[in-house]
Amino acid sequence: LFRSSPVALIALAAVGISRGASAEPASSWAHRAYQTEDGLPDNSITGMAQTSDGYLWVATKGGLVRFDGEEFRTLPRANFPSLPSRSVRAMFRDHKDRLWLSMERGPLLCLSPEGLQSYTVREGMINQRVVTLAEDKEGAIWVVHPSQMRRLLNGQAHQADLPGDWRGQGDLLAVTDARGDFWCAKGTQVGVWQHGRWQVSINLEAPVTAFSAGSRSNLWIAAGSRLFRCEDRKSTRLNSSHGYISYAV
């Protein structure tokens, strides 16, 4: 998922470019920018996902559109009844090819070929800003707010309380690794959800500013001005000897 930013949607495609002996090195990629004049409802893009049918879905502050490679199509208002705003805060595609949409004001939506499902306070949701959405190996959808989380499974959301000693500043950060384990970071603490509770696996010296899951069962964590690679819940600080430089992320 992407944080909102007023930028154009850039389409990249590999192309074959012949180079002369004296020509400047050329890129093998061509690009085209898409903005509101090309059919986007708004240039502030908050999320993108491609479904198995090949369509690219683009979430913006002006609504959700579907791109077929040639034109953008906005979903009819009839598909989004009784919503105070069409602005999408975050979007996520799950393993069943469903799109989950966190709206600016209103419920959490699940869009699938079968229709649109809405989740509100009746299902345990709360009306707070959503930082990100994720899915774990049990198929539960995690709705991450700045200071708390909801875990949605079988149509009902439950609060996943953080450990009592997680007092770090800043928003919660979350990611699912290659095994489907759900990780969360706040302040200097990094933990994993297992067997219905949090296990604090890593405690760093500096607050975590960003982290991402690798292709295997590892995590990449940026904390302060350092980069860490974590495998089997043990962290390794990377520096110039590993080919990395210290940089504030």
Side-chain angles (χ1 to χ4, degrees):
L1 293 181
F2 299 83
R3 290 190 181 274
S4 171
S5 55
V7 298
L9 174 64
I10 306 295
L12 299 176
V15 296
I17 300 178
S18 60
R19 307 178 192 174
S22 60
E24 291 292 329
S27 171
S28 60
W29 292 86
H31 71 274
R32 177 185 172 184
Y34 296 89
Q35 293 189 295
T36 52
E37 56 264 32
D38 303 294
L40 281 175
D42 193 283
N43 287 335
S44 294
I45 297 172
T46 56
M48 291 187 292
Q50 186 173 26
T51 46
S52 60
D53 54 13
Y55 288 114
L56 178 68
W57 296 82
V58 183
T60 77
K61 287 189 174 181
L64 178 69
V65 293
R66 190 182 69 181
F67 186 57
D68 61 5
E70 296 183 357
E71 62 178 342
F72 295 94
R73 292 184 178 272
T74 303
L75 295 186
R77 284 188 175 273
N79 290 350
F80 295 89
S82 304
L83 287 182
S85 171
R86 293 175 61 86
S87 178
V88 183
R89 295 273 322 178
M91 180 172 67
F92 174 76
R93 181 180 68 88
D94 69 13
H95 78 284
K96 295 182 179 179
D97 222 26
R98 299 176 300 182
L99 295 177
W100 293 85
L101 308 171
S102 170
M103 309 306 292
E104 179 71 33
R105 299 191 306 275
L108 176 71
L109 303 179
C110 179
L111 181 63
S112 69
E114 289 73 34
L116 187 71
Q117 179 69 44
S118 175
Y119 296 90
T120 67
V121 292
R122 290 176 298 182
E123 289 78 31
M125 303 303 300
I126 58 174
N127 188 20
Q128 287 189 9
R129 177 173 65 91
V130 173
V131 177
T132 191
L133 301 166
E135 181 184 20
D136 64 24
K137 58 188 175 185
E138 296 179 5
I141 300 298
W142 287 81
V143 184
V144 183
H145 302 282
S147 60
Q148 59 179 293
M149 288 176 287
R150 291 292 189 274
R151 186 173 185 262
L152 178 63
L153 184 64
N154 298 324
Q156 191 66 36
H158 299 278
Q159 181 171 337
D161 292 319
L162 293 172
D165 57 349
W166 282 32
R167 305 300 183 188
Q169 300 297 313
D171 287 352
L172 288 166
L173 303 175
V175 69
T176 304
D177 67 18
R179 293 180 296 194
D181 288 329
F182 181 77
W183 293 80
C184 178
K186 187 173 178 64
T188 61
Q189 307 282 343
V190 180
V192 61
W193 179 268
Q194 287 190 334
H195 310 299
R197 64 184 182 91
W198 290 106
Q199 296 185 17
V200 178
S201 299
I202 305 168
N203 192 354
L204 302 171
E205 295 179 358
V208 177
T209 55
F211 73 151
S212 178
S215 58
R216 298 177 296 175
S217 57
N218 60 352
L219 294 175
W220 296 88
I221 301 176
S225 60
R226 299 184 178 97
L227 177 65
F228 296 86
R229 182 180 62 219
C230 303
E231 295 181 289
D232 295 325
R233 302 177 193 175
K234 296 180 180 179
S235 62
T236 300
R237 175 181 170 182
L238 302 180
N239 52 42
S240 57
S241 66
H242 299 88
Y244 297 91
I245 60 175
S246 177
Y247 186 77
V249 178

